[in-house]
Amino acid sequence: MIQTPTHSSLELWPVGNCQVTGLIDETGGLVWGCVPRVDGDPVFCALLNGERQHEGVWRIELEGFARSTQQYQRNTAVLKTRLEAEDGSAIEIIDFAPRFRRSGRMYRPVAFVRIVRPVAGTPRITVNCTPMKNYGEAVAETTNGTNHVRYLVGQQALRMTTDAPVGYVLEKRTFRLESDLHFFLGPDEPFGGNVGRETETMLELTDHYWRHWVRGLATPMEWQEAVIRAAITLKICQHEETGAIVAALTTSIPEAPGSERNWDYRYCWIRDAYYTVQALNRLGALDVLEKYLAYLRNIVDNAKGGAVQPLYSVMGEPELTESFAQHLAGYRGMGPVRKGNAAFSQVQHDAYGQIVLPTVQAFFDQRLYRLAGEADFDSLEQVGEMAWKMHDQPDAGLWEFRTRQEVHTYSVLMSWAACGRIATVAERLGLIDKCEFWRDRAAKIRARIEEDAWHEEGQHYASALGGSHLDASLLQMIDLGFLKPEDERFQKTFAAIEKGLRRGEHMLRYDAEDDFGLPETAFNICTFWLMEALHLAGRETEARALFETMLSHRTRSGLLSEDLDFNNGELWGNFPQTYSLVGIINCATLLSRPWSFIR
């Protein structure tokens, strides 16, 4: 068998430390990894490198390769890959990004660690580490010393420190693996200490960090393994330096084959991040919320009371000019490969509600190191003013239409939620006049939705005020508290959405043509919203069965991408998608039997 895959697949295993992330393929190849951050240059880009799978990759190749198996160390982001050869020889590769407390702070370098162990027979291996620069333009030049190799990737360099024979690594020579080998690929600076002892210690401490973090999660009784894996992955989607949470770790995985719906998701969408912290809050993962609130405060400060963009870079940079990476062929050769995202310049008014909703918790949650007060309320009101000002104005909507604008019902709902939650905070602070002021605004927005979003002929709420189309986001009326599950209008809307958007066990986002025609794949978070609605409608057995079906579509790493072909079940879209992982957590929490079930 050939160890290098003939084409790219989403059977990928993320490793990361909240500073840098990498994706490992089925045979242990590091095929996607950006430096110095998730939105940086993909020095490991084989995932999008078409037929050039031997470049932009870090692979430990086993001579006579026959099969591979993979698993995470329990409750961690540490991956073990076992490669077996036809003659019975075998090796184990341990992949992780170091993360642990050291010298009073969190140690999370821009570094990948690989430990290779012989476990059976007389294995012979080849180390192919071929990072590239400038989005696949060229292979990185190298220099070396006695125990390291420097890779010149653009304006910076990466240094691999190793106890493997450096000459074999440079020349990609095959050699017998007779003892454990250790590789630390990180900053271009001397590596202190013995690389073998130090990386083994890093492995032990990183393993302990993740196990300790998982111990603090309030998981549901059922589906714990799925929830824990989703939670760990959401955690590594946060850029801890600033608190930003990216929508996915990749760019330009098509939403459907050959569709050119190829977008760069390595940025912080205010909307996606809101759903992420909401899901992790349900598990008690307060650390992610605290970091994200700090990021939001900086976004609000920089907006100075003006418009807030739908997305920013992980460093808070507003300018995300979209361009094409000309040297990368794309996933399975399906270009284009985009860097940047033009949605940063779009108008999406739901962002104001999605700033307010997570921020409100800071006024109530006594566990937080920093409780919000009246000064924070003043900033919150600035966001509320924009929500009120823009609630009846057209925008691109949460699905980011590029060629048309409407007054999207979901955006108006989020403005209603913003005003209502600000009123709740004002009441908490004893600001009675402010409370009445914001409640009055929320009431006026509610009346507008009830009057103009209701499509009388179709007997359902519509995707836009005065419109007639369906939209799965209307199911969020319950989660936001706008309607109760038994409300007659909601029941009719749910029935219409099921009839118009459901495709077997999956759900479309909307039923109208967009900039690229009719949708070809189901949007996974919408399928999870369907499960929530089924549960609230009393169709519990159906909701649980649908949830089990969605879990069966996960990769072997336990994760989901953005989209799914509702005909053959293949995953498409950027990976791993935070929206989809949020769906796993929310539905498991909602549908699980209580812990008291164990007697």
Side-chain angles (χ1 to χ4, degrees):
M1 290 181 63
I2 299 174
Q3 184 175 330
T4 303
T6 55
H7 66 78
S8 296
S9 162
L10 291 186
E11 283 294 344
L12 301 167
W13 301 70
V15 295
N17 61 3
C18 304
Q19 179 68 37
V20 68
T21 51
L23 297 177
I24 311 296
D25 74 4
E26 294 177 275
T27 56
L30 177 56
V31 295
W32 186 257
C34 304
V35 296
R37 300 183 299 271
V38 64
D39 57 359
D41 188 2
V43 296
F44 296 108
C45 55
L47 181 66
L48 301 184
N49 213 13
E51 296 179 355
R52 297 160 60 196
Q53 296 288 303
H54 61 290
E55 293 179 339
V57 69
W58 185 4
R59 192 177 297 283
I60 311 297
E61 299 175 353
L62 176 64
E63 188 175 72
F65 170 76
R67 66 191 63 86
S68 64
T69 55
Q70 290 172 294
Q71 64 178 8
Y72 285 110
Q73 291 188 182
R74 180 173 173 267
N75 293 353
T76 75
V78 178
L79 176 64
K80 286 186 177 180
T81 302
R82 180 185 174 97
L83 303 180
E84 298 180 10
E86 294 169 347
D87 65 0
S89 298
I91 65 172
E92 181 180 78
I93 307 168
I94 301 173
D95 281 292
F96 67 99
R99 179 176 174 82
F100 50 87
R101 295 202 68 82
R102 187 172 78 174
S103 302
R105 64 181 180 86
M106 188 61 68
Y107 177 67
R108 42 173 171 75
V110 179
F112 299 102
V113 176
R114 313 198 81 176
I115 300 173
V116 186
R117 308 192 197 280
V119 293
T122 56
R124 288 169 54 80
I125 67 168
T126 306
V127 180
N128 174 18
C129 186
T130 314
M132 305 189 79
K133 60 183 180 180
N134 192 22
Y135 283 80
E137 181 178 4
V139 171
E141 298 93 346
T142 62
T143 61
N144 67 281
T146 55
N147 68 343
H148 74 265
V149 180
R150 294 175 70 245
Y151 299 94
L152 307 179
V153 286
Q155 300 300 311
Q156 58 185 326
L158 294 174
R159 179 186 294 227
M160 177 200 287
T161 303
T162 182
D163 49 15
V166 169
Y168 288 167
V169 173
L170 283 169
E171 297 178 19
K172 299 181 178 60
R173 288 188 177 273
T174 303
F175 62 97
R176 181 181 289 198
L177 180 66
E178 297 186 331
S179 60
D180 293 359
L181 296 181
H182 305 82
F183 301 85
F184 182 93
L185 180 66
D188 184 25
E189 55 193 37
F191 186 91
N194 177 281
V195 67
R197 286 196 299 267
E198 291 296 324
T199 53
E200 293 285 356
T201 299
M202 289 178 184
L203 171 61
E204 180 181 353
L205 293 174
T206 300
D207 178 274
H208 174 77
Y209 167 82
W210 285 112
R211 289 175 185 265
H212 182 75
W213 185 79
V214 167
R215 284 188 70 220
L217 299 179
T219 57
M221 192 273 286
E222 296 183 270
W223 304 297
Q224 289 183 60
E225 187 176 346
V227 168
I228 288 170
R229 183 51 50 199
I232 289 173
T233 308
L234 288 178
K235 170 77 171 169
I236 66 174
C237 285
Q238 181 169 58
H239 186 70
E240 195 170 67
E241 182 181 0
T242 62
I245 301 169
V246 297
L249 300 180
T250 58
T251 176
S252 303
I253 309 296
E255 292 181 16
S259 64
E260 296 193 17
R261 298 173 187 261
N262 301 10
W263 315 115
D264 192 348
Y265 277 10
R266 301 170 299 156
Y267 305 108
C268 183
W269 268 259
I270 302 300
R271 178 188 314 111
D272 299 50
Y274 154 67
Y275 281 110
T276 297
V277 297
Q278 181 195 53
L280 289 175
N281 277 348
R282 289 171 175 163
L283 302 178
L286 201 63
D287 55 335
V288 176
L289 171 67
E290 284 190 308
K291 292 286 186 181
Y292 179 61
L293 288 179
Y295 180 81
L296 277 186
R297 285 192 288 268
N298 280 309
I299 294 298
V300 172
D301 286 350
N302 291 335
K304 295 179 171 43
V308 172
Q309 293 179 189
L311 70 152
Y312 295 84
S313 81
V314 296
M315 299 304 292
E317 171 61 39
E319 190 81 17
L320 301 173
T321 303
E322 190 173 295
S323 62
F324 297 125
Q326 303 287 353
H327 303 287
L328 293 175
Y331 180 73
R332 301 184 187 175
M334 299 177 190
V337 173
R338 288 182 169 90
K339 49 182 176 177
N341 197 306
F344 82 90
S345 63
Q346 287 186 352
V347 175
Q348 297 177 29
H349 299 320
D350 59 308
Y352 302 110
Q354 283 138 1
I355 288 175
V356 171
L357 267 62
T359 304
V360 164
Q361 186 171 340
F363 292 87
F364 291 86
D365 197 330
Q366 295 294 324
R367 298 171 298 167
L368 291 166
Y369 285 126
R370 182 189 182 278
L371 273 173
E374 288 197 28
D376 299 289
F377 181 74
D378 292 341
S379 294
L380 199 63
E381 279 198 300
Q382 292 181 34
V383 180
E385 286 292 343
M386 288 300 296
W388 168 252
K389 178 181 177 181
M390 309 306 289
H391 80 270
D392 58 355
Q393 299 300 304
D395 70 354
L398 81 161
W399 306 126
E400 301 182 342
F401 297 116
R402 293 196 168 201
T403 58
R404 70 172 188 263
Q405 291 195 342
E406 296 178 284
V407 183
H408 288 93
T409 303
Y410 178 83
S411 296
V412 187
L413 272 169
M414 276 295 172
S415 293
W416 167 82
C419 294
R421 302 313 194 266
I422 292 173
T424 301
V425 173
E427 184 177 37
R428 168 79 170 183
L429 297 175
L431 305 173
I432 306 305
D433 290 345
K434 292 282 189 181
C435 177
E436 293 177 357
F437 175 79
W438 286 105
R439 279 184 179 160
D440 178 65
R441 284 186 163 181
K444 289 176 179 175
I445 297 176
R446 170 183 278 278
R448 182 71 186 275
I449 294 171
E450 294 285 14
E451 181 178 351
D452 293 343
W454 181 253
H455 179 51
E456 184 64 29
E457 183 180 347
Q459 288 291 289
H460 61 78
Y461 286 104
S463 61
L465 301 194
S468 60
H469 293 300
L470 294 167
D471 191 316
S473 67
L474 297 169
L475 296 176
Q476 290 289 283
M477 287 179 155
I478 301 297
D479 189 64
L480 291 170
F482 185 83
L483 296 175
K484 295 185 181 301
E486 61 272 16
D487 184 273
E488 182 181 4
R489 282 190 165 188
F490 178 74
Q491 292 294 327
K492 290 180 176 180
T493 300
F494 179 31
I497 287 174
E498 250 199 300
K499 181 179 179 181
L501 301 184
R502 187 169 178 176
R503 299 292 184 271
E505 297 173 314
H506 307 286
M507 183 76 88
L508 302 179
R509 286 175 285 186
Y510 41 79
D511 63 347
E513 286 197 19
D514 61 16
D515 314 328
F516 293 83
L518 288 171
E520 301 173 58
T521 51
F523 201 70
N524 289 330
I525 187 60
C526 297
T527 304
F528 287 114
W529 289 347
L530 169 63
M531 295 172 210
E532 294 174 6
L534 290 171
H535 165 79
L536 294 169
R539 295 158 64 181
E540 189 75 11
T541 301
E542 188 178 354
R544 288 174 63 89
L546 194 56
F547 185 54
E548 292 284 2
T549 298
M550 277 302 292
L551 291 182
S552 74
H553 288 299
R554 292 176 300 158
T555 60
R556 283 186 277 277
S557 59
L559 305 174
L560 289 167
S561 62
E562 181 184 46
D563 307 276
L564 188 146
D565 187 317
F566 47 79
N567 292 312
N568 63 20
E570 185 173 7
L571 293 174
W572 290 90
N574 282 305
F575 179 89
Q577 177 75 11
T578 54
Y579 261 156
S580 301
L581 305 184
V582 162
I584 292 174
I585 292 172
N586 288 348
C587 286
T589 303
L590 191 67
L591 300 174
S592 173
R593 297 180 179 93
W595 281 96
S596 59
F597 183 79
I598 304 174
R599 294 191 185 276

